[in-house]
Amino acid sequence: MSFKPKHQRLVLALSALVALIGAALLAMWGLKDRAAYFVTPSDIAAGKVAAGEPLRLGGMVASGSLRQLGDGVTLRFVVTDGKHQTVTSFRGIPPSLFKEGSGVVAEGRLKDGTFVADNILAKHDERYMPPQLGNEVATHAAERTVAQ
Amino acid sequence: MKRALLLVPLAILALFVAAALWRLSSPPDPTIRSRLAGQPLPAFSLPAAVPGRPALDSAAFADGQPRLLNLFASWCVPCIAEAPMLLELERRGVTIEAIAVRDRPEDVARFLQRHGDPFRRIGLDTASKVQLSLGSAGVPESFVIDGRGIIRYQHVGVITAKDLPVLMAELEKAR
Amino acid sequence: MIAEAGLAALYLAAALALMQLAVSLVPALAPQAAQVARPLALAQGLLTAAAFACLIVLFVRTDLSVALVAANSHSAKPLLYRFAGTWGNHEGSMLLWVTVLALSGALLAVASRGIPERMLGATLGAQAALALGFYAFLLLASNPFARLDPAPVEGQGLNPLLQDPGLAFHPPTLYLGYVGLSVAFSLAVGALITRDVGPVLARAMRPWVLGSWVFLTVGIAAGSYWAYYELGWGGWWFWDPVENASLMPWLAATALLHSVSVLAARGGLRTWTMMLAVVAFSMSMVGTFLVRSGILTSVHAFAVDPTRGGFILALLLIYVGGALALFAWRAPAVGEGARFALVSREGALVLNNLLLSVILAVVFLGTLYPLMVEAATGEKLSVGPPYFDAVVGPLALLLMLLLVVGPLLRWRRHEAPLTKWVAPSLLAGVATLAATIILAPDISLLSRLGLVLGVALVPASLMPLAGRSLRRTPLATWGMAIAHLGVAVSVIGMASDSAFSRERLAAARPGEQLAVGPWLVAFNSVTPVAGPNWTAIEAELAVTQGGSERVLKPQARTFTSPVTETSEVAIATAWNGQLYTVLGRQSGQRWQLRLWWKPFVTLIWLGAGLIALGGLVSLIGRGWTNRRTRRRLAEAEL
């Protein structure tokens, strides 16, 4: 089949529109249960979080809570936001500056009351990641002050 | 109908710009004050960063007087930008203790000579141990400590003229 | 003095850009606009190049009286990184961006014989308008030549993650691609203004799109390999906003590349091509905005910079908004292209364009979704691999399916049966499907389909060459075949990595032996080592895969200025994949070791290399054909 010129144009425009709407619907479907919410131990304590959902848990590693399990590669620690606490476990090599008392963002899921992290971002990372951003704000401020 | 279709890209652009503008005008809060506030200062005892000056001990903070604890380093350019602000705080009567991170005594001395010296005591934290125990990721960073040695406020990054009133208020509250 | 000279060159270039724009705006001058604009564009290009050279000299000499150098360099750094430090920061990279923009304008002005004068005049005007905005940004909000007084005794160093040869050349490559698309954008604007959208425009635009696309491909592949071996996480693509920022222009450029071919060869898809040309460079600008403003770093973003972000956003709004408005106004007047049947090469390319556009849209939405949700509800969330893999994966597979058939179709209308041509692919695909079901029943559906379609595409990509005299086949056809083969190779690598990777995480004592996949790893020792600006703990691993033994030395490094800790991965590459080793921290008497066996992971970047090579071959072929056509025309006139 071949289109008349006028129709061909309309068909192209319509297919572009359909593609756009399709993309939006597809994205909405994908985002519905695949976006990870950023939560704190208080949110978990308040029961706002369903088990098994992808999450990012933010807080501080409570002092004295960091334990290495017998296998040598699993860490167990408590994330706190000052009000509530969440027991967290992580199997793997954490970032070098992951320490007790430092800020942490753990990516993972809640399972039987324990947060099982697949990935850990120590607060240290935020000043260097992504690398392109570096210390820009700080140096920018330095120039401004020096210029005054 | 077709005309309207041609305007769809413009609408998407408008949406993008609106979201970006919102973020630029209300940047996320970079501080983590709520997490450290209320915690006692971790115990430490550091040697003096400059020979002939007093060393810095965490016990010294519990003398009833609120003060500022500043983390800096001579190799840190933003710390140069912060120096005039610290001098201004000292002029307003604030006691400032300092920790020089991963530094050498001769470099610290040169830094103080060039950029002013508002500090009462300066401890030398060669291996970043105290810095990490304070939950600090970089320099400069400052803490408001009350008279009982409890951390009241944490300021991440350079202190600018804009931050002075906030810090003064926090110091007043810690009294 | 060098810093001042660089600054002066920039101001002069900005003044020239203003003149170039003014010339194209005066209607009376329109017929001669191109004549006047040519030398201006050339001078502009040379001046910005000189300014960039000045900055390089300052960095190589480590002139600490310049604020930018003091903040980002260190005299103890090796020469290569002092050199690369020039663009390893905001101001330097923006100067690089402007330099490439002005040089592209100059090249367009010099090598533009095929373009009608009036269209060229309008195009150079648009290019000058773009350049002017970025000069303003550089001079007003990110001066790379600002002095620091007093000068510090030592610089602050460069982020150690950036001290890597791969990354030293990653940003410039990407920028060449980003900014090369600006010419396609200006040409589209010029053509819309002069109402001259047709094959002539497409032929002028095509080399720019091809060139930019080659650079983008190389830049993205290099960035991906850098992330793979520098971050120590074993992955090669993380769907990080910064990565997406480079992927989005690539997707748009890929679509544009295909639609511009239709316009050049058949005169069809006129409006659509104009739209894509505008979108492609818009995505470059969006990418630059996202990276430079810091608004999307992550949920715990640190470096939001309202001043600079606002400036780039304003430029983006003016240029993209202006071009889209011009498009909405002029598109109805753009001539109709040649007709074609649904089943035809054009039809397949339309489908290709639609699929690429849908992928672009879902990546765009996924990248910005956290921002929109936070703006609307205040809720913080992050969108990562689970979303992108689930949504982009199937769309990419559809695109591959189209790739098997599309290049075999005839222009305008295809009626002959395709069975003979598709049979080898069908056979290869079915054989792979059977083999994976029998040998690896547990792999995910997406990886399995990836393997099947990847293998099926290998014969299909070479089919356009079959049955032809290879010596008389145009280079452009060779280029297409090579690039499509590259897609097949790359997808096989990705699917193999996700389906067959084996990971072993262990706490081991020196002297222990570990097995991962076909590899045997003997953990010999741990020793401290030191470099010029770092200290490290280094493990010695003797690794074998049946045959001869190799020694790998992964490190946990601590840099001194600024203090940062990184993992130095050690990789053993074999014909059938890579063994990837990371040293973790000490736990008691034991050390954490993370070992990955990644079969055929190397194909990912090999395929990307083939894709870029295909683009390059095609570009050379087009250039050669164009010259020959021109010579023939000239001879005919005589």
Side-chain angles (χ1 to χ4, degrees), chain C residues 566-606:
Chain C
T566 65
S567 295
E568 290 295 305
V569 169
I571 295 175
T573 307
W575 66 273
N576 57 351
Q578 290 187 325
L579 176 69
Y580 184 106
T581 64
V582 186
L583 174 67
R585 55 170 73 182
Q586 192 167 13
S587 78
Q589 293 295 305
R590 298 180 293 179
W591 293 85
Q592 294 173 347
L593 278 176
R594 191 161 207 169
L595 312 170
W596 270 283
W597 160 237
K598 297 181 156 291
F600 297 107
V601 68
T602 25
L603 292 185
I604 296 173
W605 303 287
L606 182 71

Side-chain angles (χ1 to χ4, degrees), chain C residues 190-514:
Chain C
L192 285 171
I193 290 174
T194 56
R195 295 188 174 82
D196 204 358
V197 180
V200 175
L201 166 74
R203 277 195 280 275
M205 196 187 272
R206 186 160 52 188
W208 290 97
V209 180
L210 258 175
S212 313
W213 181 78
V214 168
F215 280 119
L216 277 177
T217 309
V218 171
I220 292 173
S224 145
Y225 196 71
W226 170 79
Y228 172 72
Y229 79 80
E230 189 66 22
L231 295 179
W233 298 339
W236 50 273
W237 191 262
F238 300 97
W239 295 107
D240 182 83
V242 175
E243 288 177 328
N244 293 349
S246 67
L247 182 65
M248 290 190 284
W250 186 85
L251 289 168
T254 311
L256 175 60
L257 187 65
H258 289 90
S259 83
V260 90
S261 298
V262 179
L263 183 53
R266 305 282 317 153
L269 299 189
R270 293 174 187 225
T271 339
W272 186 239
T273 305
M274 292 304 95
M275 184 69 215
L276 282 176
V278 172
V279 167
F281 182 63
S282 305
M283 285 301 150
S284 297
M285 287 200 59
V286 167
T288 308
F289 169 72
L290 293 183
V291 174
R292 287 294 145 210
S293 68
I295 62 165
L296 278 186
T297 319
S298 63
V299 282
H300 51 309
F302 200 85
V304 174
D305 188 338
T307 329
R308 287 173 180 172
F311 212 121
I312 304 185
L313 191 64
L315 291 179
L316 193 150
L317 188 63
I318 294 169
Y319 296 142
V320 179
L324 288 176
L326 179 70
F327 174 80
W329 178 34
R330 284 289 164 86
V334 168
E336 196 48 54
R339 284 193 287 155
F340 56 84
L342 195 59
V343 180
S344 64
R345 181 77 73 83
E346 288 97 323
L349 286 169
V350 167
L351 204 53
N352 148 307
N353 271 228
L354 288 176
L355 280 171
L356 281 167
S357 305
V358 170
I359 296 178
L360 174 62
V362 296
V363 172
F364 184 79
L365 279 170
T367 309
L368 291 167
Y369 187 65
L371 185 63
M372 297 198 250
V373 168
E374 206 189 328
T377 66
E379 204 143 19
K380 290 184 179 176
L381 52 77
S382 78
V383 176
Y387 162 77
F388 289 106
D389 289 348
V391 176
V392 175
L395 287 169
L397 290 179
L398 271 179
L399 203 56
M400 301 262 305
L401 202 59
L402 180 67
L403 204 47
V404 172
V405 188
L408 299 170
L409 299 175
R410 286 174 186 284
W411 292 106
R412 275 190 68 199
R413 172 192 295 273
H414 189 96
E415 274 157 351
L418 280 172
T419 339
K420 185 178 131 201
W421 303 100
V422 181
S425 299
L426 211 61
L427 219 60
V430 171
T432 315
L433 185 64
T436 56
I437 287 176
I438 296 165
L439 298 174
D442 301 327
I443 62 176
S444 77
L445 181 65
L446 207 60
S447 326
R448 194 189 305 278
L449 289 176
L451 283 172
V452 168
L453 284 168
V455 173
L457 186 54
V458 172
S461 61
L462 299 173
M463 233 15 113
L465 298 174
R468 301 175 77 140
S469 153
L470 291 187
R471 277 185 49 211
R472 287 176 57 193
T473 304
L475 274 182
T477 309
W478 277 99
M480 176 183 81
I482 295 171
H484 288 174
L485 181 63
V487 173
V489 169
S490 215
V491 169
I492 294 173
M494 294 172 196
S496 166
D497 176 49
S498 84
F500 305 126
S501 271
R502 291 283 168 273
E503 185 193 346
R504 175 95 190 255
L505 177 68
R509 285 187 178 80
E512 274 184 43
Q513 287 226 336
L514 301 164

